[in-house]
Amino acid sequence: MPAIQLQFVDWLIIGSYFLILLMIGLYYRRFAGRSMEDWPLHWPG
Amino acid sequence: MIGTSVGYGGDTAPLGGAMEGQMVLSSRNVREASKMYIVAVITLFVMLLLVTLPALGAIVQWPWLRNPEVDREKAYGLLMAQYLPPGMLGLLFVVMLAAVMSTIGSNLIFGSQVLVSDVYRRYPNPGRTDRHYLWVGRGAAAAILALAIVVAFRVDLIFHVAAFMVAASAAELPANWAQWWWWRFNQWGRISASFGGIIISALVWLVLPTQVWPWWERTYLVIGANTALWVVVTLLTPADSPAVLERFYRKGRPLGAWGPVRRRCDMQTTAPGRAPGSGLPLILGGLGLAVLGAVAAALLISGLSSAYVGRYESAAVQLGGFLASGAVFLGIYGKYLDRLEEWAGASEETLESSASPTPASAVSEVATERGPAHAVREPVRTSVVVALATAAYGPLLMLVGLLSEGRTMAYNLIAGAAFLVAAAIVWITGRTPDQADARLIEDVSPALAGSQADMVSPAKMPRCSEV
């Protein structure tokens, strides 16, 4: 029965995923505490 | 599939509807919101093929997986180990992590938000600071996560959890529909339906033996018992105030049993073109249309599955049925929406705005009254973030491919290129709505400008008797 063997490149991709998530989180953290009220809707109707 | 086809009544349904309310509210207009259901059904069930078809292949590859004694949840892992080269294996792990984390994250947020905003803040503890509610929300999220972990460690098969969730979710379906189709439905009916469904499901699952009562029979029992509960609770508690009901009716023009409210509003309204009655033919027609769409989607899924396992004749018949029923559905669908709009007549809000048009400049005047908020810098478009995050995997996978050889190299190079193409598509398509916004704002009509001014600075909605 085959078993999953993760190699270095697999861990590299998995680690990159968490790094990208961290970068996205840090970017949006700059806007924490804001709400939709801070940006009036542009949409007419 | 019934819930997904007919709709969950705008509920944040945890299953097929997948946060339906959010998708409805983020749609461009009512017609686009209704099309969301078609896109949701097709994408949901076609995406599920990514799980179901390899599972069929796994059963062929390892026949012992048919044995109910073995852990059949290993099938996907076996396929990954057997067929995926280095790089692709890590990528699929990431995909699975992303799917699980996004689902858990969104459910934790909306679950804790419902508990805090709709229950805790409204009934036992109103008037506290936002910081207090924030910490209560975090505590609620932690409690929900802890319960989920307990469930995860106590179940033998994830299907049992899915069956329970189907019953708990379906128990609310009649109440979700009743909130649109029955004027008498009130907040106590809502609360009893939401909490009653979970409690009755838990009782039924704990008490009734699984050998005698299969999961679908228990689901029907839960739906029936919960419906009886919320109907009784609704009838024993007062109806919502006439002002609330009339405001909702004027904005939503719901079909169904709205007789007393409809009579009060329609007697005094000046809106032309309103059809009398409950619109029952439109309800029945809509349900028939939903069934037709569900049949088309089911034939598509079944046909593709048959083709996958080599039953080509059966697949041809089913896919032919999908094309025929799908064509009939699309032919009727637009006309049905036209009839709905004709039935509803002109919006009273639009008529009011047309009667006393608000200049487009008023929108900016109202907006600038909001003070320093305009100075807040907006985040970049979400599509830019998604495109950049997607593009990051392109060079990474291509690098893995270049460091490999043979099949591994080919797969990783192709996947890397696919990620770059997908990122470009997201970036380009993400720009289109902004350009459409700009055009619409340039051409904004006085009536639309008036309605936006209402959105920015909500005016008190007059009662029907004041129209």
Side-chain angles (χ1 to χ4, degrees), chain A residues 1-4 6-7 10 13-14 16-17 20 27-28 30-31 37-39 41-43, chain B residues 28 64 78 82 87 90 94 98 370 373 376-380 385 393 396 437 441 452 455:
Chain A
M1 198 164 60
I4 291 175
L6 291 178
Q7 297 186 11
D10 299 313
I13 291 171
I14 294 170
S16 302
Y17 169 66
I20 291 169
Y27 173 71
Y28 278 112
R30 297 161 62 188
F31 305 98
E37 299 294 317
D38 292 323
W39 295 290
L41 293 171
H42 299 303
W43 196 255
Chain B
R28 182 179 301 223
W64 50 266
L78 288 171
Q82 178 80 15
V94 165
R370 301 170 62 79
V376 176
R377 196 162 59 82
E378 295 187 32
V380 297
V385 176
Y393 290 97
L396 187 63
D437 283 354
I441 289 170
Q452 189 185 22
M455 287 171 64

mmCIF file of all heavy atoms in Angstrom, chain A residues 1-4 6-7 10 13-14 16-17 20 27-28 30-31 37-39 41-43, chain B residues 28 64 78 82 87 90 94 98 370 373 376-380 385 393 396 437 441 452 455:
data_model
loop_
_atom_site.group_PDB
_atom_site.id
_atom_site.type_symbol
_atom_site.label_atom_id
_atom_site.label_comp_id
_atom_site.label_asym_id
_atom_site.label_seq_id
_atom_site.Cartn_x
_atom_site.Cartn_y
_atom_site.Cartn_z
ATOM 1 N N MET A 1 0.853 -1.200 0.000
ATOM 2 C CA MET A 1 0.000 0.000 0.000
ATOM 3 C C MET A 1 0.886 1.247 0.000
ATOM 4 O O MET A 1 1.798 1.338 0.829
ATOM 5 C CB MET A 1 -0.896 -0.015 1.240
ATOM 6 C CG MET A 1 -2.073 0.902 1.111
ATOM 7 S SD MET A 1 -3.348 0.561 2.324
ATOM 8 C CE MET A 1 -2.531 0.785 3.866
ATOM 9 N N PRO A 2 0.656 2.158 -0.935
ATOM 10 C CA PRO A 2 1.532 3.342 -1.014
ATOM 11 C C PRO A 2 1.366 4.245 0.203
ATOM 12 O O PRO A 2 0.285 4.344 0.775
ATOM 13 C CB PRO A 2 1.066 4.042 -2.291
ATOM 14 C CG PRO A 2 -0.336 3.589 -2.483
ATOM 15 C CD PRO A 2 -0.419 2.203 -1.936
ATOM 16 N N ALA A 3 2.463 4.876 0.581
ATOM 17 C CA ALA A 3 2.423 5.828 1.702
ATOM 18 C C ALA A 3 2.977 7.172 1.233
ATOM 19 O O ALA A 3 3.859 7.227 0.376
ATOM 20 C CB ALA A 3 3.243 5.291 2.870
ATOM 21 N N ILE A 4 2.443 8.234 1.788
ATOM 22 C CA ILE A 4 2.858 9.576 1.373
ATOM 23 C C ILE A 4 4.244 9.884 1.943
ATOM 24 O O ILE A 4 4.465 9.762 3.153
ATOM 25 C CB ILE A 4 1.830 10.621 1.850
ATOM 26 C CG1 ILE A 4 0.528 10.446 1.071
ATOM 27 C CG2 ILE A 4 2.375 12.024 1.667
ATOM 28 C CD1 ILE A 4 -0.587 11.338 1.539
ATOM 29 N N LEU A 6 6.681 13.015 1.934
ATOM 30 C CA LEU A 6 6.906 14.412 1.554
ATOM 31 C C LEU A 6 8.405 14.675 1.432
ATOM 32 O O LEU A 6 9.178 14.279 2.302
ATOM 33 C CB LEU A 6 6.303 15.357 2.600
ATOM 34 C CG LEU A 6 4.773 15.393 2.674
ATOM 35 C CD1 LEU A 6 4.323 16.340 3.776
ATOM 36 C CD2 LEU A 6 4.159 15.808 1.355
ATOM 37 N N GLN A 7 8.778 15.335 0.322
ATOM 38 C CA GLN A 7 10.182 15.691 0.131
ATOM 39 C C GLN A 7 10.379 17.184 0.416
ATOM 40 O O GLN A 7 9.419 17.908 0.692
ATOM 41 C CB GLN A 7 10.599 15.350 -1.309
ATOM 42 C CG GLN A 7 10.494 13.856 -1.592
ATOM 43 C CD GLN A 7 11.046 13.491 -2.941
ATOM 44 O OE1 GLN A 7 11.682 14.293 -3.604
ATOM 45 N NE2 GLN A 7 10.798 12.254 -3.349
ATOM 46 N N ASP A 10 8.200 19.670 -1.395
ATOM 47 C CA ASP A 10 6.820 19.713 -0.897
ATOM 48 C C ASP A 10 6.715 20.622 0.330
ATOM 49 O O ASP A 10 5.810 21.446 0.438
ATOM 50 C CB ASP A 10 6.338 18.300 -0.543
ATOM 51 C CG ASP A 10 6.344 17.384 -1.752
ATOM 52 O OD1 ASP A 10 5.852 17.810 -2.804
ATOM 53 O OD2 ASP A 10 6.842 16.254 -1.632
ATOM 54 N N ILE A 13 6.852 24.250 -0.639
ATOM 55 C CA ILE A 13 5.575 24.799 -1.122
ATOM 56 C C ILE A 13 4.607 25.006 0.037
ATOM 57 O O ILE A 13 3.933 26.034 0.123
ATOM 58 C CB ILE A 13 4.981 23.857 -2.190
ATOM 59 C CG1 ILE A 13 5.848 23.914 -3.448
ATOM 60 C CG2 ILE A 13 3.538 24.242 -2.515
ATOM 61 C CD1 ILE A 13 5.503 22.892 -4.481
ATOM 62 N N ILE A 14 4.576 24.058 0.951
ATOM 63 C CA ILE A 14 3.682 24.211 2.114
ATOM 64 C C ILE A 14 4.126 25.412 2.953
ATOM 65 O O ILE A 14 3.301 26.229 3.391
ATOM 66 C CB ILE A 14 3.681 22.919 2.963
ATOM 67 C CG1 ILE A 14 3.061 21.772 2.168
ATOM 68 C CG2 ILE A 14 2.915 23.126 4.269
ATOM 69 C CD1 ILE A 14 3.224 20.398 2.814
ATOM 70 N N SER A 16 5.737 28.012 1.881
ATOM 71 C CA SER A 16 5.440 29.232 1.119
ATOM 72 C C SER A 16 3.985 29.644 1.302
ATOM 73 O O SER A 16 3.669 30.841 1.349
ATOM 74 C CB SER A 16 5.716 29.000 -0.372
ATOM 75 O OG SER A 16 7.034 28.616 -0.569
ATOM 76 N N TYR A 17 3.117 28.651 1.400
ATOM 77 C CA TYR A 17 1.690 28.958 1.594
ATOM 78 C C TYR A 17 1.485 29.747 2.881
ATOM 79 O O TYR A 17 0.813 30.783 2.896
ATOM 80 C CB TYR A 17 0.908 27.646 1.623
ATOM 81 C CG TYR A 17 -0.525 27.791 2.082
ATOM 82 C CD1 TYR A 17 -1.445 28.505 1.308
ATOM 83 C CD2 TYR A 17 -0.962 27.234 3.278
ATOM 84 C CE1 TYR A 17 -2.758 28.647 1.726
ATOM 85 C CE2 TYR A 17 -2.266 27.371 3.693
ATOM 86 C CZ TYR A 17 -3.159 28.077 2.913
ATOM 87 O OH TYR A 17 -4.456 28.222 3.332
ATOM 88 N N ILE A 20 2.902 33.274 2.545
ATOM 89 C CA ILE A 20 2.006 34.158 1.771
ATOM 90 C C ILE A 20 0.809 34.563 2.627
ATOM 91 O O ILE A 20 0.391 35.727 2.623
ATOM 92 C CB ILE A 20 1.564 33.453 0.475
ATOM 93 C CG1 ILE A 20 2.750 33.325 -0.479
ATOM 94 C CG2 ILE A 20 0.426 34.218 -0.200
ATOM 95 C CD1 ILE A 20 2.501 32.415 -1.661
ATOM 96 N N TYR A 27 -0.506 42.724 5.635
ATOM 97 C CA TYR A 27 -0.979 43.836 4.792
ATOM 98 C C TYR A 27 -2.346 44.331 5.276
ATOM 99 O O TYR A 27 -2.552 45.530 5.478
ATOM 100 C CB TYR A 27 -1.064 43.386 3.331
ATOM 101 C CG TYR A 27 -1.706 44.430 2.449
ATOM 102 C CD1 TYR A 27 -1.038 45.607 2.150
ATOM 103 C CD2 TYR A 27 -2.988 44.251 1.937
ATOM 104 C CE1 TYR A 27 -1.625 46.580 1.373
ATOM 105 C CE2 TYR A 27 -3.575 45.210 1.151
ATOM 106 C CZ TYR A 27 -2.893 46.375 0.868
ATOM 107 O OH TYR A 27 -3.477 47.346 0.107
ATOM 108 N N TYR A 28 -3.273 43.403 5.499
ATOM 109 C CA TYR A 28 -4.626 43.826 5.889
ATOM 110 C C TYR A 28 -4.675 44.316 7.331
ATOM 111 O O TYR A 28 -5.630 44.996 7.716
ATOM 112 C CB TYR A 28 -5.625 42.681 5.672
ATOM 113 C CG TYR A 28 -6.079 42.580 4.241
ATOM 114 C CD1 TYR A 28 -5.734 41.503 3.446
ATOM 115 C CD2 TYR A 28 -6.845 43.596 3.676
ATOM 116 C CE1 TYR A 28 -6.138 41.425 2.134
ATOM 117 C CE2 TYR A 28 -7.251 43.535 2.353
ATOM 118 C CZ TYR A 28 -6.888 42.445 1.594
ATOM 119 O OH TYR A 28 -7.292 42.382 0.287
ATOM 120 N N ARG A 30 -2.972 46.588 8.456
ATOM 121 C CA ARG A 30 -2.899 48.060 8.395
ATOM 122 C C ARG A 30 -4.297 48.675 8.392
ATOM 123 O O ARG A 30 -4.462 49.839 8.706
ATOM 124 C CB ARG A 30 -2.154 48.482 7.136
ATOM 125 C CG ARG A 30 -0.720 48.006 7.106
ATOM 126 C CD ARG A 30 -0.147 48.008 5.727
ATOM 127 N NE ARG A 30 -0.094 49.342 5.137
ATOM 128 C CZ ARG A 30 0.222 49.595 3.887
ATOM 129 N NH1 ARG A 30 0.520 48.597 3.086
ATOM 130 N NH2 ARG A 30 0.251 50.810 3.429
ATOM 131 N N PHE A 31 -5.278 47.891 7.980
ATOM 132 C CA PHE A 31 -6.644 48.423 7.897
ATOM 133 C C PHE A 31 -7.520 47.906 9.040
ATOM 134 O O PHE A 31 -8.724 48.111 9.035
ATOM 135 C CB PHE A 31 -7.269 48.044 6.557
ATOM 136 C CG PHE A 31 -6.441 48.471 5.388
ATOM 137 C CD1 PHE A 31 -5.598 47.579 4.752
ATOM 138 C CD2 PHE A 31 -6.483 49.783 4.935
ATOM 139 C CE1 PHE A 31 -4.820 47.967 3.691
ATOM 140 C CE2 PHE A 31 -5.691 50.185 3.886
ATOM 141 C CZ PHE A 31 -4.860 49.276 3.257
ATOM 142 N N GLU A 37 -17.895 51.646 6.925
ATOM 143 C CA GLU A 37 -18.350 53.035 7.051
ATOM 144 C C GLU A 37 -17.257 54.018 6.648
ATOM 145 O O GLU A 37 -17.540 55.163 6.300
ATOM 146 C CB GLU A 37 -18.773 53.304 8.499
ATOM 147 C CG GLU A 37 -19.921 52.439 8.978
ATOM 148 C CD GLU A 37 -21.201 52.746 8.222
ATOM 149 O OE1 GLU A 37 -21.475 53.930 8.026
ATOM 150 O OE2 GLU A 37 -21.898 51.806 7.818
ATOM 151 N N ASP A 38 -15.997 53.568 6.720
ATOM 152 C CA ASP A 38 -14.906 54.478 6.384
ATOM 153 C C ASP A 38 -14.763 54.702 4.891
ATOM 154 O O ASP A 38 -14.071 55.617 4.462
ATOM 155 C CB ASP A 38 -13.580 53.910 6.932
ATOM 156 C CG ASP A 38 -13.559 53.942 8.447
ATOM 157 O OD1 ASP A 38 -14.087 54.912 9.009
ATOM 158 O OD2 ASP A 38 -13.038 52.994 9.045
ATOM 159 N N TRP A 39 -15.366 53.824 4.104
ATOM 160 C CA TRP A 39 -15.266 53.960 2.660
ATOM 161 C C TRP A 39 -16.662 54.030 2.069
ATOM 162 O O TRP A 39 -17.307 52.985 1.880
ATOM 163 C CB TRP A 39 -14.497 52.772 2.071
ATOM 164 C CG TRP A 39 -13.080 52.769 2.541
ATOM 165 C CD1 TRP A 39 -12.099 53.652 2.204
ATOM 166 C CD2 TRP A 39 -12.477 51.844 3.466
ATOM 167 N NE1 TRP A 39 -10.934 53.343 2.849
ATOM 168 C CE2 TRP A 39 -11.133 52.241 3.633
ATOM 169 C CE3 TRP A 39 -12.936 50.740 4.166
ATOM 170 C CZ2 TRP A 39 -10.259 51.567 4.462
ATOM 171 C CZ3 TRP A 39 -12.056 50.065 4.990
ATOM 172 C CH2 TRP A 39 -10.740 50.482 5.125
ATOM 173 N N LEU A 41 -19.842 53.978 -0.188
ATOM 174 C CA LEU A 41 -20.080 53.129 -1.355
ATOM 175 C C LEU A 41 -20.007 53.946 -2.639
ATOM 176 O O LEU A 41 -20.480 55.066 -2.714
ATOM 177 C CB LEU A 41 -21.467 52.489 -1.246
ATOM 178 C CG LEU A 41 -21.627 51.475 -0.125
ATOM 179 C CD1 LEU A 41 -23.091 51.081 0.001
ATOM 180 C CD2 LEU A 41 -20.781 50.261 -0.404
ATOM 181 N N HIS A 42 -19.349 53.341 -3.644
ATOM 182 C CA HIS A 42 -19.293 53.993 -4.947
ATOM 183 C C HIS A 42 -20.446 53.532 -5.819
ATOM 184 O O HIS A 42 -20.625 54.018 -6.905
ATOM 185 C CB HIS A 42 -17.976 53.666 -5.640
ATOM 186 C CG HIS A 42 -16.781 54.134 -4.885
ATOM 187 N ND1 HIS A 42 -16.605 55.446 -4.540
ATOM 188 C CD2 HIS A 42 -15.712 53.470 -4.405
ATOM 189 C CE1 HIS A 42 -15.465 55.581 -3.879
ATOM 190 N NE2 HIS A 42 -14.910 54.377 -3.780
ATOM 191 N N TRP A 43 -21.149 52.525 -5.341
ATOM 192 C CA TRP A 43 -22.103 51.875 -6.225
ATOM 193 C C TRP A 43 -23.445 52.610 -6.243
ATOM 194 O O TRP A 43 -24.058 52.788 -5.204
ATOM 195 C CB TRP A 43 -22.323 50.429 -5.760
ATOM 196 C CG TRP A 43 -22.972 49.624 -6.805
ATOM 197 C CD1 TRP A 43 -24.259 49.222 -6.847
ATOM 198 C CD2 TRP A 43 -22.359 49.154 -7.988
ATOM 199 N NE1 TRP A 43 -24.499 48.532 -7.979
ATOM 200 C CE2 TRP A 43 -23.364 48.464 -8.702
ATOM 201 C CE3 TRP A 43 -21.090 49.246 -8.533
ATOM 202 C CZ2 TRP A 43 -23.108 47.873 -9.938
ATOM 203 C CZ3 TRP A 43 -20.849 48.654 -9.745
ATOM 204 C CH2 TRP A 43 -21.859 47.976 -10.423
ATOM 205 N N ARG B 28 -24.728 42.583 -7.951
ATOM 206 C CA ARG B 28 -24.918 43.910 -8.526
ATOM 207 C C ARG B 28 -26.365 44.360 -8.457
ATOM 208 O O ARG B 28 -26.658 45.509 -8.195
ATOM 209 C CB ARG B 28 -24.430 43.859 -9.975
ATOM 210 C CG ARG B 28 -24.500 45.163 -10.706
ATOM 211 C CD ARG B 28 -23.974 45.005 -12.107
ATOM 212 N NE ARG B 28 -22.592 44.534 -12.117
ATOM 213 C CZ ARG B 28 -21.660 45.014 -12.918
ATOM 214 N NH1 ARG B 28 -21.965 45.962 -13.762
ATOM 215 N NH2 ARG B 28 -20.434 44.553 -12.893
ATOM 216 N N TRP B 64 -10.499 -3.412 -2.014
ATOM 217 C CA TRP B 64 -10.808 -3.631 -0.596
ATOM 218 C C TRP B 64 -11.403 -2.384 0.062
ATOM 219 O O TRP B 64 -11.950 -2.452 1.169
ATOM 220 C CB TRP B 64 -9.568 -4.102 0.167
ATOM 221 C CG TRP B 64 -8.328 -3.253 -0.055
ATOM 222 C CD1 TRP B 64 -7.350 -3.478 -0.965
ATOM 223 C CD2 TRP B 64 -7.980 -2.059 0.633
ATOM 224 N NE1 TRP B 64 -6.393 -2.512 -0.898
ATOM 225 C CE2 TRP B 64 -6.754 -1.615 0.088
ATOM 226 C CE3 TRP B 64 -8.550 -1.323 1.658
ATOM 227 C CZ2 TRP B 64 -6.113 -0.470 0.519
ATOM 228 C CZ3 TRP B 64 -7.910 -0.173 2.099
ATOM 229 C CH2 TRP B 64 -6.705 0.248 1.530
ATOM 230 N N LEU B 78 -4.279 7.653 -0.433
ATOM 231 C CA LEU B 78 -3.661 6.587 -1.235
ATOM 232 C C LEU B 78 -3.423 7.051 -2.665
ATOM 233 O O LEU B 78 -2.371 6.809 -3.259
ATOM 234 C CB LEU B 78 -4.571 5.349 -1.231
ATOM 235 C CG LEU B 78 -4.629 4.561 0.075
ATOM 236 C CD1 LEU B 78 -5.737 3.507 0.003
ATOM 237 C CD2 LEU B 78 -3.290 3.893 0.345
ATOM 238 N N GLN B 82 0.151 7.447 -4.535
ATOM 239 C CA GLN B 82 0.402 6.600 -5.709
ATOM 240 C C GLN B 82 0.765 7.414 -6.953
ATOM 241 O O GLN B 82 1.630 7.020 -7.722
ATOM 242 C CB GLN B 82 -0.852 5.765 -5.990
ATOM 243 C CG GLN B 82 -0.762 4.873 -7.214
ATOM 244 C CD GLN B 82 0.021 3.592 -6.928
ATOM 245 O OE1 GLN B 82 0.263 3.237 -5.774
ATOM 246 N NE2 GLN B 82 0.457 2.918 -7.981
ATOM 247 N N GLY B 87 6.431 17.987 -5.339
ATOM 248 C CA GLY B 87 5.983 19.307 -5.800
ATOM 249 C C GLY B 87 4.473 19.334 -5.894
ATOM 250 O O GLY B 87 3.803 20.082 -5.189
ATOM 251 N N GLY B 90 3.041 18.441 -2.490
ATOM 252 C CA GLY B 90 2.990 19.588 -1.573
ATOM 253 C C GLY B 90 1.903 20.561 -1.964
ATOM 254 O O GLY B 90 1.209 21.127 -1.104
ATOM 255 N N VAL B 94 -1.315 21.890 0.169
ATOM 256 C CA VAL B 94 -1.653 23.303 0.353
ATOM 257 C C VAL B 94 -3.117 23.548 -0.018
ATOM 258 O O VAL B 94 -3.840 24.265 0.689
ATOM 259 C CB VAL B 94 -0.727 24.187 -0.504
ATOM 260 C CG1 VAL B 94 -1.275 25.601 -0.611
ATOM 261 C CG2 VAL B 94 0.667 24.221 0.090
ATOM 262 N N ALA B 98 -5.849 24.928 2.450
ATOM 263 C CA ALA B 98 -6.570 26.167 2.154
ATOM 264 C C ALA B 98 -8.072 25.936 2.224
ATOM 265 O O ALA B 98 -8.818 26.762 2.775
ATOM 266 C CB ALA B 98 -6.175 26.682 0.771
ATOM 267 N N ARG B 370 -19.128 63.285 5.881
ATOM 268 C CA ARG B 370 -18.691 62.212 6.760
ATOM 269 C C ARG B 370 -17.329 62.497 7.388
ATOM 270 O O ARG B 370 -16.837 61.724 8.168
ATOM 271 C CB ARG B 370 -18.647 60.898 5.993
ATOM 272 C CG ARG B 370 -19.981 60.547 5.420
ATOM 273 C CD ARG B 370 -19.852 59.380 4.466
ATOM 274 N NE ARG B 370 -19.374 58.193 5.166
ATOM 275 C CZ ARG B 370 -20.146 57.419 5.905
ATOM 276 N NH1 ARG B 370 -21.417 57.706 6.033
ATOM 277 N NH2 ARG B 370 -19.656 56.375 6.491
ATOM 278 N N ALA B 373 -13.190 60.518 7.402
ATOM 279 C CA ALA B 373 -13.174 59.129 6.917
ATOM 280 C C ALA B 373 -12.634 59.047 5.498
ATOM 281 O O ALA B 373 -12.008 58.063 5.116
ATOM 282 C CB ALA B 373 -14.586 58.552 6.965
ATOM 283 N N VAL B 376 -9.019 58.110 4.786
ATOM 284 C CA VAL B 376 -8.531 56.753 4.984
ATOM 285 C C VAL B 376 -8.201 56.142 3.634
ATOM 286 O O VAL B 376 -8.997 56.174 2.710
ATOM 287 C CB VAL B 376 -9.599 55.888 5.684
ATOM 288 C CG1 VAL B 376 -9.109 54.458 5.801
ATOM 289 C CG2 VAL B 376 -9.912 56.459 7.040
ATOM 290 N N ARG B 377 -6.987 55.598 3.551
ATOM 291 C CA ARG B 377 -6.587 54.997 2.282
ATOM 292 C C ARG B 377 -7.226 53.623 2.153
ATOM 293 O O ARG B 377 -7.244 52.845 3.104
ATOM 294 C CB ARG B 377 -5.069 54.872 2.232
ATOM 295 C CG ARG B 377 -4.522 54.621 0.840
ATOM 296 C CD ARG B 377 -3.044 54.954 0.811
ATOM 297 N NE ARG B 377 -2.296 54.158 1.775
ATOM 298 C CZ ARG B 377 -1.885 52.923 1.540
ATOM 299 N NH1 ARG B 377 -2.155 52.331 0.402
ATOM 300 N NH2 ARG B 377 -1.194 52.272 2.448
ATOM 301 N N GLU B 378 -7.771 53.369 0.964
ATOM 302 C CA GLU B 378 -8.424 52.075 0.751
ATOM 303 C C GLU B 378 -7.389 50.996 0.494
ATOM 304 O O GLU B 378 -6.339 51.272 -0.075
ATOM 305 C CB GLU B 378 -9.375 52.152 -0.450
ATOM 306 C CG GLU B 378 -10.532 53.073 -0.247
ATOM 307 C CD GLU B 378 -11.523 52.969 -1.395
ATOM 308 O OE1 GLU B 378 -11.652 51.874 -1.950
ATOM 309 O OE2 GLU B 378 -12.144 53.981 -1.709
ATOM 310 N N PRO B 379 -7.669 49.752 0.885
ATOM 311 C CA PRO B 379 -6.791 48.657 0.478
ATOM 312 C C PRO B 379 -6.894 48.438 -1.028
ATOM 313 O O PRO B 379 -7.870 48.864 -1.648
ATOM 314 C CB PRO B 379 -7.338 47.449 1.253
ATOM 315 C CG PRO B 379 -8.704 47.819 1.672
ATOM 316 C CD PRO B 379 -8.788 49.310 1.704
ATOM 317 N N VAL B 380 -5.881 47.806 -1.587
ATOM 318 C CA VAL B 380 -5.939 47.524 -3.029
ATOM 319 C C VAL B 380 -7.080 46.555 -3.296
ATOM 320 O O VAL B 380 -7.613 45.920 -2.371
ATOM 321 C CB VAL B 380 -4.617 46.917 -3.547
ATOM 322 C CG1 VAL B 380 -3.486 47.906 -3.360
ATOM 323 C CG2 VAL B 380 -4.324 45.601 -2.846
ATOM 324 N N VAL B 385 -4.676 41.248 -4.643
ATOM 325 C CA VAL B 385 -4.085 40.398 -3.600
ATOM 326 C C VAL B 385 -4.136 38.931 -4.025
ATOM 327 O O VAL B 385 -3.148 38.193 -3.913
ATOM 328 C CB VAL B 385 -4.835 40.599 -2.257
ATOM 329 C CG1 VAL B 385 -4.293 39.656 -1.192
ATOM 330 C CG2 VAL B 385 -4.710 42.037 -1.793
ATOM 331 N N TYR B 393 3.143 31.305 -6.648
ATOM 332 C CA TYR B 393 3.378 29.860 -6.807
ATOM 333 C C TYR B 393 3.954 29.522 -8.181
ATOM 334 O O TYR B 393 4.530 28.455 -8.360
ATOM 335 C CB TYR B 393 2.069 29.081 -6.609
ATOM 336 C CG TYR B 393 1.597 29.095 -5.181
ATOM 337 C CD1 TYR B 393 0.642 29.988 -4.753
ATOM 338 C CD2 TYR B 393 2.142 28.211 -4.262
ATOM 339 C CE1 TYR B 393 0.226 30.005 -3.443
ATOM 340 C CE2 TYR B 393 1.735 28.217 -2.947
ATOM 341 C CZ TYR B 393 0.771 29.132 -2.549
ATOM 342 O OH TYR B 393 0.379 29.151 -1.253
ATOM 343 N N LEU B 396 7.764 29.441 -8.185
ATOM 344 C CA LEU B 396 8.146 28.414 -7.218
ATOM 345 C C LEU B 396 8.019 27.014 -7.828
ATOM 346 O O LEU B 396 8.950 26.197 -7.778
ATOM 347 C CB LEU B 396 7.256 28.548 -5.978
ATOM 348 C CG LEU B 396 7.599 27.676 -4.784
ATOM 349 C CD1 LEU B 396 8.976 28.026 -4.245
ATOM 350 C CD2 LEU B 396 6.556 27.838 -3.692
ATOM 351 N N ASP B 437 -17.940 50.503 -12.885
ATOM 352 C CA ASP B 437 -18.354 51.465 -11.855
ATOM 353 C C ASP B 437 -18.188 52.879 -12.358
ATOM 354 O O ASP B 437 -19.067 53.721 -12.212
ATOM 355 C CB ASP B 437 -17.480 51.304 -10.606
ATOM 356 C CG ASP B 437 -17.896 50.098 -9.803
ATOM 357 O OD1 ASP B 437 -18.910 49.495 -10.171
ATOM 358 O OD2 ASP B 437 -17.205 49.785 -8.839
ATOM 359 N N ILE B 441 -21.071 55.649 -12.717
ATOM 360 C CA ILE B 441 -21.078 56.873 -11.917
ATOM 361 C C ILE B 441 -21.155 58.098 -12.825
ATOM 362 O O ILE B 441 -21.839 59.071 -12.529
ATOM 363 C CB ILE B 441 -19.829 56.912 -11.009
ATOM 364 C CG1 ILE B 441 -19.977 55.873 -9.907
ATOM 365 C CG2 ILE B 441 -19.649 58.286 -10.399
ATOM 366 C CD1 ILE B 441 -18.735 55.641 -9.107
ATOM 367 N N GLN B 452 -28.750 56.387 -3.892
ATOM 368 C CA GLN B 452 -27.466 56.248 -3.222
ATOM 369 C C GLN B 452 -27.369 57.215 -2.048
ATOM 370 O O GLN B 452 -26.821 56.875 -1.001
ATOM 371 C CB GLN B 452 -26.313 56.518 -4.184
ATOM 372 C CG GLN B 452 -24.987 56.144 -3.511
ATOM 373 C CD GLN B 452 -23.781 56.484 -4.336
ATOM 374 O OE1 GLN B 452 -23.858 57.338 -5.200
ATOM 375 N NE2 GLN B 452 -22.676 55.836 -4.050
ATOM 376 N N MET B 455 -28.745 55.653 0.707
ATOM 377 C CA MET B 455 -27.892 54.631 1.296
ATOM 378 C C MET B 455 -26.822 55.261 2.180
ATOM 379 O O MET B 455 -26.508 54.764 3.248
ATOM 380 C CB MET B 455 -27.207 53.818 0.198
ATOM 381 C CG MET B 455 -28.142 52.865 -0.514
ATOM 382 S SD MET B 455 -27.362 52.160 -1.935
ATOM 383 C CE MET B 455 -26.045 51.245 -1.201
#
